[in-house]
Amino acid sequence: MAKMTVDTKILPIKADSIDVVPTGDLGDVVRETLIEVLDSDPRDNESYVDYIKRQAKAKADEMNVIKVALGLNAKEMEKINKTLEESTIDNYAAYLMSVLQGLTTGSYKKFMESQQDDEAETDPKSEEDED
């Protein structure tokens, strides 16, 4: 099986990168988690509590993808959760899932730079007013 090298420099673990085999099972978990994360906007007639419960499940599933894909143990996952900002964990999970889906390659840093470039291109506030 072909391995994918995943950048882990941002994570408080010993390895700078980890080779991951993108098995069918892992792909299934990634797709299900992506669906949850992308479908995270509040729904019509949804209570705030139900919305927060969905957010918590999506976060737990992101953490599970990181743990399973990178073969990390509970202590390493606890260190990640206690050390990194939540937005960094979310962004890293997006990077990891993108790599596993074959949507991106390279480092986490380059992934984040490309995300910022994409946001700048689509942000109407970043365009000059021509009037």
Side-chain angles (χ1 to χ4, degrees):
M1 287 188 177
K3 293 180 181 180
M4 300 175 145
T5 300
V6 178
D7 179 7
T8 57
K9 290 182 189 99
I10 189 78
L11 302 178
I13 62 174
K14 293 181 181 176
D16 285 342
S17 66
I18 294 177
D19 289 334
V20 177
V21 176
T23 63
D25 282 348
L26 185 54
D28 291 344
V29 170
V30 167
R31 280 185 290 280
E32 288 299 318
T33 303
L34 278 170
I35 290 168
E36 277 185 286
V37 171
L38 295 173
D39 186 32
S40 63
D41 291 334
R43 296 177 179 156
D44 292 338
N45 300 320
E46 179 179 41
S47 73
Y48 185 67
V49 171
D50 288 341
Y51 169 70
I52 296 300
K53 286 179 183 178
R54 279 193 312 109
Q55 294 289 65
K57 182 174 181 339
K59 175 66 174 200
D61 288 346
E62 281 182 334
M63 294 295 284
N64 185 57
V65 167
I66 294 170
K67 180 180 179 181
V68 171
L70 303 180
L72 302 178
N73 62 40
K75 188 175 182 177
E76 290 168 316
M77 292 305 298
E78 182 179 345
K79 188 173 183 181
I80 288 169
N81 206 31
K82 288 183 181 240
T83 304
L84 298 179
E85 291 182 16
E86 186 170 20
S87 62
T88 302
I89 295 170
D90 291 342
N91 289 334
Y92 186 80
Y95 159 74
L96 178 59
M97 290 187 282
S98 293
V99 169
L100 295 173
Q101 289 291 299
L103 302 174
T104 192
T105 58
S107 71
Y108 170 75
K109 182 180 177 182
K110 288 196 186 260
F111 172 78
M112 290 305 298
E113 288 170 355
S114 72
Q115 296 300 306
Q116 291 168 350
D117 290 346
D118 289 349
E119 287 176 13
E121 289 175 12
T122 59
D123 184 2
K125 294 177 191 171
S126 68
E127 296 177 10
E128 293 183 357
D129 188 10
E130 296 179 9
D131 290 335

